[in-house]
Amino acid sequence: RRKPSEPGEEIFSSNYDQLFDNLTLKLLNGFFALICILGLVGNGMTIYLLAFSIKRNPFTTFILNLSIADFGVITSLITATIFVTVFTQSHRTDVVDAFFFLFFEFIFFTYSASQFLLTAISLDRCVAVLFPLWHRCHRPPYLSTLVCSLIWILSFLLSAVHFILHQTRAFGSSPLLYQLIVNGLLCTPLMIVSTVTLLIHMRSKMQCNQRKLLTTIFLALLFYLLFSLPMNVFFVIDYFDTYNLLLMTIGIGCAILNSSINPLLYFLVGRKKRGKDQPRASYKVALQRVFKDEKGSSEQQETVKEDQL
């Protein structure tokens, strides 16, 4: 049986737990800082190549906007962290709090846009594999640009309304909770259905030339379900329960991983196995290999359908 605790044992245990938590948070923050740097480089390269070096098509328009949104998520998180580190050391004022909340809103503006864009990408791929003739012949060429524009406008309105309600104290509870619930309830079911649909069609022989593209989207959706969703869940738990700094750090870190991992997926899926004497493929070549399937696969599907008719 354990002896009764000494008078100072409880204080020592509390200090030890606090030291352990501080060390854990510092290690997590260092790891996430490294991921942020890699994510900025990867998304920045993707934006530059898709905007200036690779021929644009309706699908790369989605990918370009997704990379911009992920770049915005990482940039806003870094900016907010620096802002908090600098200004929380001094006396806090209403102006400082307003600026911090503005940075916080920009994080969720880009975060929501990234979620909605990935949902639109998944739905576009499902339509392409389920209705290839319609997607090839009747899909408006400007549809991708229109959808991306509407997504940016919707994400901005959600964040703007939340910011106004928070500043005017016109809402009894946090509207951000409902924003995250809407994102989760709207995006997650659609992505789960899309992930299952793509997984089934990846095994189809008709999709053999589209394998790289479908694999990339499937992995992006899978990592979203693993990394991005916990931030929504942790915030809802934090809203109904006590504040947990470690839990929220993990949730934000998962969002950082989700925003940083897509360029790595593009490179790993798009690279080609090389021999000992063959040079290593560049990131631009990998992107071209992934997204060139958009045209080739559609032409092949149309040919197959015409032969069947």
Side-chain angles (χ1 to χ4, degrees), residues 268-287:
L268 293 179
V269 176
R271 70 190 179 99
K272 189 176 181 181
K273 293 183 179 180
R274 64 188 184 95
K276 295 182 179 179
D277 299 331
Q278 294 179 344
R280 188 183 298 274
S282 65
Y283 185 58
K284 178 180 178 180
V285 174
L287 283 178

Side-chain angles (χ1 to χ4, degrees), residues 112-159:
S112 297
S114 177
Q115 285 185 311
F116 292 142
L117 285 166
L118 193 55
T119 304
I121 290 171
S122 65
L123 293 177
D124 180 80
R125 283 303 90 195
C126 286
V127 173
V129 298
L130 294 175
F131 309 101
L133 278 180
W134 182 91
H135 191 271
R136 172 65 177 172
C137 302
H138 301 287
R139 181 181 184 270
Y142 55 84
L143 182 61
S144 299
T145 304
L146 178 62
V147 171
C148 291
S149 300
L150 292 176
I151 286 175
W152 284 111
I153 293 173
L154 175 62
S155 302
F156 175 78
L157 290 177
L158 285 174
S159 298

Side-chain angles (χ1 to χ4, degrees), residues 224-252:
Y224 162 80
L225 296 174
L226 292 176
F227 289 148
S228 187
L229 183 60
M231 187 173 182
N232 290 340
V233 176
F234 290 164
F235 186 87
V236 173
I237 293 175
D238 176 72
Y239 178 81
F240 290 106
D241 201 353
T242 57
Y243 179 79
N244 190 317
L245 180 60
L246 181 60
L247 192 65
M248 289 302 298
T249 302
I250 294 174
I252 294 175

Side-chain angles (χ1 to χ4, degrees), residues 112 115-117 119 122 181-192 224-225:
S112 297
Q115 285 185 311
F116 292 142
L117 285 166
T119 304
S122 65
I181 291 177
V182 167
N183 289 358
L185 294 179
L186 177 64
C187 297
T188 304
L190 292 175
M191 289 190 184
I192 292 175
Y224 162 80
L225 296 174

